[in-house]
Amino acid sequence: MIIDCHCDTVLQAYLTNRLITERSSSGHLDLPRLQESGVKIQFFALFPGISSSISPLKQILILGDFFWEQYKNNTEKIKLISSSSDLGEVMETNKLGALLTVEGGEVLEGELRILRILYRLGVRSLCLTWNNRNEIADGVAERDARGLTDFGREVVKEMNKLGMIIDLSHIAEKGFWEVLELSDVPVIASHSNSRAIWDHPRNLTDEQIKGIAQKNGLIGLNFVSEFIGAPAAGMKKLLEHIDHILELVGDDYLAFGSDFDGTDNLLSGISDVTIYPKIIAELEKRNYKKSTIQKLCWGNCLRILQQIL
Ligand SMILES: [Zn+2]
């Protein structure tokens, strides 16, 4: 069983005119492939990547509608997770659990009321920034990045109150530490790897990994080759990230956050979501403890969902 904390499939499916619920030969995942691969819960990000001529907020509303229109016709196969009580239904049935998230706090346009209405639309996690500056904070691509704005501090507090998962992938370091200090509950970095293993600004330093662990949070391993290592790096390099994080903080904070459908450049050897059984087999071959593999595959993320939602 797998819980995966990040994919951009809603956008990719919208742009390529395919249905998430039907098997496709394009893209990295869909409902049949998720079920075949043992994925039990998939986070679906709404990422405003349709067109820069449309406002980010309008884009994620369009993508949210695209998701909901498919969801409403498939409620016997998919369960949108909006509270911790929904987790029971997902675990006890054959349904895929879907968690709606938004990637990029610019969609709020500086208004807490938009955060609250997104919550009512079923969104349960917000990646506070993408790579650039927005009304909340700066992303990793900004030079001399600022930390949280006053509005950003309000967003953190409101997300705590609503029971939304704060996602710190993409945020620049200053804001990262301010959120850690401010949030009352664990935070996640849904799709980021180790910077000690591969020095990329989208990856987390050892200090950041320890910070998330002290907060009882979660780090989702990303399968994009750019964040794992040199373009030709294979599975061995992904395992280096796993080993490093396990060594640094133990096995209670690691999960998967594939970034499927968010890139054309997955790690070589990874074609789509159907790779998961092979990854698990690889971990078993390496003699990781059974309990460690379970925590990495689903246990740690389930703990966060139960705690925050
Ligand atoms: Zn991302």
Side-chain angles (χ1 to χ4, degrees):
M1 183 162 75
I2 297 283
I3 301 180
D4 184 311
C5 303
H6 187 79
C7 76
D8 285 311
T9 303
V10 179
L11 173 67
Q12 200 273 347
Y14 176 84
L15 291 175
T16 57
N17 204 18
R18 69 174 172 102
L19 291 176
I20 300 163
T21 48
E22 282 175 17
R23 184 182 301 277
S24 172
S25 54
S26 79
H28 296 148
L29 64 82
D30 45 52
L31 180 62
R33 279 186 279 175
L34 284 166
Q35 291 186 314
E36 260 171 40
S37 312
V39 176
K40 192 63 188 149
I41 297 176
Q42 177 67 55
F43 288 34
F44 286 97
L46 307 177
F47 175 67
I50 300 173
S51 162
S52 56
S53 65
I54 307 173
S55 78
L57 174 59
K58 186 172 175 184
Q59 291 186 57
I60 65 117
L61 292 177
I62 290 169
L63 294 173
D65 175 70
F66 178 70
F67 176 87
W68 269 99
E69 283 295 302
Q70 294 172 69
Y71 175 57
K72 77 172 189 206
N73 295 325
N74 288 277
T75 49
E76 77 290 354
K77 294 183 201 149
I78 307 176
K79 173 74 188 171
L80 184 68
I81 296 170
S82 48
S83 72
S84 54
S85 61
D86 295 332
L87 295 168
E89 183 180 337
V90 168
M91 290 302 166
E92 286 157 18
T93 63
N94 288 327
K95 291 182 183 182
L96 172 80
L99 196 96
L100 265 191
T101 77
V102 164
E103 185 167 21
E106 60 275 18
V107 305
L108 303 185
E109 298 184 1
E111 302 268 1
L112 274 188
R113 66 190 89 210
I114 294 177
L115 177 71
R116 290 192 289 262
I117 208 75
L118 292 178
Y119 180 87
R120 290 194 174 94
L121 285 176
V123 174
R124 289 296 177 271
S125 177
L126 173 69
C127 203
L128 296 183
T129 70
W130 194 61
N131 290 334
N132 314 105
R133 170 170 298 178
N134 65 27
E135 291 82 357
I136 296 173
D138 285 3
V140 294
E142 294 291 339
R143 279 165 171 257
D144 305 317
R146 306 167 307 173
L148 283 174
T149 62
D150 288 345
F151 175 66
R153 304 181 80 80
E154 285 178 43
V155 168
V156 169
K157 283 293 167 199
E158 191 70 14
M159 287 179 76
N160 282 171
K161 232 191 282 170
L162 289 166
M164 289 179 84
I165 299 166
I166 298 171
D167 188 348
L168 299 180
S169 280
H170 289 281
I171 198 171
E173 270 209 49
K174 188 153 190 284
F176 174 96
W177 290 111
E178 288 172 359
V179 175
L180 243 57
E181 173 102 35
L182 189 62
S183 176
D184 297 326
V185 295
V187 297
I188 72 169
S190 67
H191 55 302
S192 296
N193 297 335
S194 156
R195 208 184 291 185
I197 298 300
W198 189 250
D199 190 6
H200 189 289
R202 276 278 289 102
N203 287 340
L204 301 166
T205 65
D206 283 356
E207 289 312 304
Q208 286 180 300
I209 291 168
K210 285 187 205 161
I212 287 177
Q214 274 160 17
K215 197 91 193 165
N216 213 15
L218 195 73
I219 297 140
L221 286 164
N222 189 314
F223 297 163
V224 177
S225 65
E226 192 186 346
F227 308 140
I228 292 177
M235 190 73 83
K236 204 168 145 272
K237 196 76 182 171
L238 177 66
L239 293 167
E240 279 181 39
H241 287 270
I242 295 176
D243 286 341
H244 181 73
I245 295 171
L246 292 177
E247 209 165 284
L248 200 62
V249 293
D251 63 6
D252 288 321
Y253 313 104
L254 199 55
F256 288 116
S258 61
D259 220 345
F260 281 134
D261 285 319
T263 179
D264 293 326
N265 300 301
L266 290 172
L267 187 69
S268 69
I270 297 184
S271 53
D272 67 3
V273 70
T274 59
I275 194 71
Y276 267 128
K278 279 188 205 149
I279 293 178
I280 296 173
E282 198 68 43
L283 296 173
E284 283 166 349
K285 227 169 42 193
R286 280 215 159 191
N287 295 323
Y288 290 102
K289 279 192 290 184
K290 211 171 169 197
S291 59
T292 298
I293 296 174
Q294 283 185 353
K295 285 180 188 177
L296 166 58
C297 289
W298 56 271
N300 291 334
C301 191
L302 190 62
R303 178 193 81 229
I304 294 284
L305 291 170
Q306 281 164 339
Q307 185 179 351
I308 299 179
L309 295 183

